[in-house]
Amino acid sequence: MSCTSRLRCTINGVACDREIDPRLLLVEAVRDVAGLKGTRVGCLTGDCGACTVRIDGAVVKSCLVLALSVEDRAITTIEGAGDLTEIQHAFVAENGFQCGFCTTGMVLTAAELLRDNPRPSEAEIRRAISGNLCRCTGYDGIVAAVRRAAEARARA
Ligand code: FES
Ligand code: FES
């Protein structure tokens, strides 16, 4: 006999009201219930940042969160974040990705950094992304992309 529980939240501004397995992680709910595959599954241990989403605007590693714990909260995934244009352009311009597996987490983490610190130093950028692993080791391009995005926003 299967046991389910009801999850009510919003994902990218759309109401989600579904019966789910209470053991489901948020990353699994985002990908497999909501069908939003831009959020990646990497380590499932909180180490790689591939599963990064926003909960009520704050970046969170969604493999560390039970889906049922986001009752009545607002989830935003890479598909629904509307404030990433300069950062995405900068990642393209600076070759800030290779396979792209880490890019969702890197971009959302960079956006949070630039929101809180619009002109970060290189050291501050490296510290901010230290919880996100790039298995292609493309860190120099990622740091350059975040700097470029900061400069673009400063000019805007
Ligand atoms: S899959 Fe969540 S931190 Fe790696
Ligand atoms: S670009 Fe491949 S994991 Fe970062």
Side-chain angles (χ1 to χ4, degrees), residues 96-103 133-138 142:
F97 55 88
Q98 294 171 62
C99 77
F101 195 82
C102 69
T103 308
L133 301 182
C134 176
R135 62 191 182 184
C136 302
T137 68
I142 292 165

Side-chain angles (χ1 to χ4, degrees), residues 16-70:
C16 172
D17 185 350
R18 298 282 291 268
E19 290 290 331
I20 64 167
D21 184 328
R23 298 166 297 181
L24 219 56
L25 301 171
L26 179 57
V27 65
E28 296 167 329
V30 162
R31 287 177 55 87
D32 302 330
V33 176
L36 296 165
K37 305 291 189 183
T39 305
R40 311 292 188 195
V41 179
C43 61
L44 288 177
T45 54
D47 294 307
C48 75
C51 63
T52 301
V53 301
R54 292 175 180 159
I55 300 177
D56 293 339
V59 297
V60 172
K61 292 175 178 175
S62 60
C63 72
L64 298 180
V65 178
L66 274 176
L68 286 181
S69 73
V70 301

Side-chain angles (χ1 to χ4, degrees), residues 3 5 7-8 10 14 21 25 32 38 42-43 53 55 66 113 115 143-144 148 151 155:
C3 166
S5 299
L7 170 64
R8 295 188 195 84
T10 65
V14 177
D21 184 328
L25 301 171
D32 302 330
C43 61
V53 301
I55 300 177
L66 274 176
L113 169 66
R115 182 195 67 196
V143 171
R148 178 184 278 259
E151 287 161 12
R155 281 196 305 273

Side-chain angles (χ1 to χ4, degrees), residues 9-13 26-27 30 36 39 49-63 65 70 72-88 104-116 153:
C9 63
T10 65
I11 301 179
N12 297 336
L26 179 57
V27 65
V30 162
L36 296 165
T39 305
C51 63
T52 301
V53 301
R54 292 175 180 159
I55 300 177
D56 293 339
V59 297
V60 172
K61 292 175 178 175
S62 60
C63 72
V65 178
V70 301
D72 295 330
R73 315 273 301 267
I75 311 306
T76 307
T77 70
I78 193 78
E79 293 91 342
D83 57 344
L84 302 176
T85 304
E86 297 101 334
I87 298 172
Q88 290 169 321
T104 292
M106 291 291 185
V107 167
L108 287 172
T109 300
E112 183 172 69
L113 169 66
L114 296 181
R115 182 195 67 196
D116 297 340
R153 286 189 173 180

